Amino acid sequence: MDYFNAFWVGGLICALVQILMEKTKLQPGRIMVLLVCTGAVLGALGIYPALVEYAGAGASVPLLGFGNTLFKGVKEAIQSDGFIGIFMGGFTSCAVGISAALVFGYLASLCFEPKMRK
């Protein structure tokens, strides 16, 4: 049942984002920022952790989950380090994911020839 819940929650998030992309004139970058901020706000309200508990990777993998992870890192850093935690909490909580994205993006650019848009 865990796989089913992850599938339908992740699919619902992706479908809602696709509808947002199709029905509005928002640029993809702005939609990505909106998703990260929404995940952080839902995490602050205590809604997103319950969704992650229910759906697992279906809720933690999309960009909403990234925003929630940023919020959790900042919250923990503020509790342990005080005010300076506002600036360092997000970096420490997401460093592995961001580093992996950079490394694998670079490796993909070595394997495939990028096409420049004109």
Side-chain angles (χ1 to χ4, degrees):
M1 200 63 181
D2 291 337
Y3 294 124
F4 178 74
N5 290 337
F7 177 78
W8 80 262
V9 170
L12 180 66
I13 291 170
C14 292
L16 291 173
V17 171
Q18 187 65 40
I19 291 169
L20 183 66
M21 289 175 68
E22 298 291 330
K23 298 296 182 186
T24 66
K25 296 184 183 216
L26 289 173
Q27 297 295 320
R30 292 182 184 209
I31 293 173
M32 290 171 55
V33 169
L34 179 68
L35 290 171
V36 172
C37 292
T38 302
V41 169
L42 290 175
L45 295 174
I47 297 169
Y48 210 77
L51 186 62
V52 170
E53 179 71 28
Y54 176 75
S60 63
V61 171
L63 278 175
L64 290 169
F66 180 70
N68 182 48
T69 302
L70 284 172
F71 169 75
K72 286 192 316 187
V74 170
K75 181 180 173 185
E76 291 170 5
I78 289 172
Q79 291 172 350
S80 65
D81 300 323
F83 180 74
I84 195 73
I86 293 172
F87 304 106
M88 61 185 246
F91 291 117
T92 56
S93 67
C94 296
V96 173
I98 293 171
S99 298
L102 290 171
V103 168
F104 289 119
Y106 178 71
L107 292 175
S109 73
L110 294 176
C111 295
F112 303 102
E113 185 176 335
K115 296 178 182 174
M116 300 301 290
R117 290 188 180 182
K118 296 177 184 179

